[in-house]
Amino acid sequence: MSSDCIFCKIAGGQLETELVYEDSEIVAFKDINPQAPVHLLIIPRRHVPSLLDLQEDDADLAGRLLLTANRLARTFKIDQSGYRVLTNCGKDAGQAVSHLHLHLLGGRPLLQTMG
Ligand code: AMP
Ligand code: ZN
């Protein structure tokens, strides 16, 4: 837990946020500023600053984060229409919150952009 990290506070229950998924390692919730009809954030409970900070030992966690995206795509019924999973890592990607999070976006055609 990083004491001034907003996503640690959400994962730890100190900041009231409706969770759409949780297990012992992962929580997911709706993005506060949604960019699509479905815009969820999927995070590890543990404070990992960014994708770059994942280590070999975290391979299982990395896989579970992706599988949680699949699970939520089904739950939110965007599995057939399609969806996007992305993570911003570092300054040039515009990472605003320094706690690893996957964005899950769907529910409308998404722009075909790589940047
Ligand atoms: P990124 O630019 O990838 O770091 O994205 C950070 C995301 O976190 C943005 O899409 C924000 O809208 C979202 N966000 C920031 N604070 C909260 C919060 N308290 N609850 C839900 N989403 C948040
Ligand atoms: Zn954190």
Side-chain angles (χ1 to χ4, degrees), residues 90-110:
K91 183 166 59 72
D92 280 359
Q95 183 179 359
V97 178
S98 295
H99 181 130
L100 173 61
H101 49 283
L102 299 185
H103 294 259
L104 171 63
L105 296 145
R108 66 163 170 80
L110 299 165

Side-chain angles (χ1 to χ4, degrees), residues 1-2 5-9 45-48 98-99:
M1 162 91 189
S2 175
C5 172
I6 192 163
F7 286 0
C8 279
K9 287 185 177 139
R45 285 188 185 275
R46 173 163 62 91
H47 184 78
V48 177
S98 295
H99 181 130

Side-chain angles (χ1 to χ4, degrees), residues 20-21 28-31 33-43 65-79 81-88 101-108 110:
V20 297
Y21 177 80
F29 48 92
K30 292 181 179 170
D31 195 291
N33 182 22
Q35 303 299 307
V38 177
H39 185 174
L40 306 178
L41 300 176
I42 302 163
I43 70 169
L65 287 165
L66 278 178
L67 291 172
T68 301
N70 277 355
R71 173 198 283 257
L72 287 167
R74 292 189 193 96
T75 304
F76 282 79
K77 303 195 185 324
I78 55 171
D79 53 315
S81 50
Y83 52 101
R84 181 171 292 158
V85 178
L86 66 88
T87 188
N88 294 316
H101 49 283
L102 299 185
H103 294 259
L104 171 63
L105 296 145
R108 66 163 170 80
L110 299 165

